[in-house]
């Protein structure tokens, strides 16, 4: 039962590792001057309202103080599948020895025999703590 639980947890962790290593996303940032106003990962950044449109004021040649930057974080595009035969012999020996010793650490408790399950404790004739006036404080 423990081996099945460990196998399921390990499978979920490996699936999450593959998912997060292949996901790509963009981070958009809006600066007003040198001050960071807004950061957005999944939606459009909110502007500070100080941008100048060239269409609205064609006579002005002044540059806007605001700028937008976009950082693209790319995930892994290609996943390679390697078999046990693709790795070197020393690594194969290490993996086999490690897995063998790791799985032998866990023993099932159901197979052990409990020797004192039919043992009944002796009858108490006197309450020894009260008789000797010894109490835990």
């Amino acid at each position: 039962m423990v081996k099945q639980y460990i196998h399921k947890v390990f499978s979920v962790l490996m699936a999450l590792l593959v998912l997060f290593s292949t996901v790509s996303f963009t981070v958009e940032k809006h600066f007003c001057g040198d001050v960071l106003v807004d950061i957005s990962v999944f939606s459009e950044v909110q502007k500070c309202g100080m941008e100048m449109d060239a269409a609205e004021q064609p006579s002005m040649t002044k540059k806007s103080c605001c700028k937008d930057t976009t950082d693209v974080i790319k995930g892994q595009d290609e996943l390679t599948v390697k078999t046990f035969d693709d790795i070197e012999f020393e690594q194969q020996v290490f993996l086999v020895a490690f897995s063998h010793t790791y799985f032998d650490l866990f023993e099932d408790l159901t197979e052990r025999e409990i020797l004192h399950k039919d043992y009944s404790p002796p009858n108490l004739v006197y309450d020894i703590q009260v008789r000797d006036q010894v109490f835990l404080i």
Side-chain angles (χ1 to χ4, degrees):
M1 180 164 156
V2 173
K3 288 183 183 180
Q4 291 174 351
Y5 179 73
I6 290 174
H7 186 269
K8 288 180 183 179
V9 169
F10 186 71
S11 300
V12 168
L13 288 176
M14 290 300 290
L16 290 175
L17 178 70
V18 169
L19 175 72
F20 288 126
S21 68
T22 57
V23 170
S24 301
F25 58 93
T26 60
V27 178
E28 297 181 23
K29 298 176 186 173
H30 179 75
F31 290 93
C32 189
D34 290 333
V35 179
L36 178 64
V37 176
D38 190 25
I39 296 177
S40 175
V41 177
F42 297 111
S43 63
E44 190 81 16
V45 291
Q46 292 182 352
K47 310 287 182 180
C48 62
M50 297 184 65
E51 302 87 24
M52 290 186 212
D53 263 347
E56 291 177 4
Q57 301 170 352
S59 64
M60 296 186 77
T61 59
K62 189 176 180 182
K63 289 186 177 180
S64 175
C65 66
C66 297
K67 67 177 180 178
D68 292 329
T69 60
T70 303
D71 298 330
V72 177
I73 300 172
K74 286 193 161 196
Q76 189 176 4
D77 289 340
E78 298 176 6
L79 295 176
T80 58
V81 178
K82 291 190 174 187
T83 62
F84 189 71
D85 297 329
D86 293 340
I87 59 177
E88 296 177 10
F89 179 71
E90 290 84 14
Q91 293 174 340
Q92 288 179 358
V93 170
F94 174 75
L95 287 174
V96 168
F98 179 77
S99 62
H100 180 70
T101 56
Y102 181 76
F103 287 120
D104 282 345
L105 287 176
F106 302 107
E107 295 179 6
D108 292 335
L109 294 177
T110 57
E111 296 176 3
R112 289 187 179 178
E113 183 179 344
I114 300 172
L115 300 175
H116 55 57
K117 69 179 180 181
D118 295 326
Y119 173 75
S120 61
N123 293 330
L124 291 177
V125 179
Y126 300 107
D127 191 359
I128 297 172
Q129 288 181 338
V130 174
R131 187 185 74 184
D132 295 337
Q133 297 292 312
V134 177
F135 303 104
L136 293 176
I137 296 177

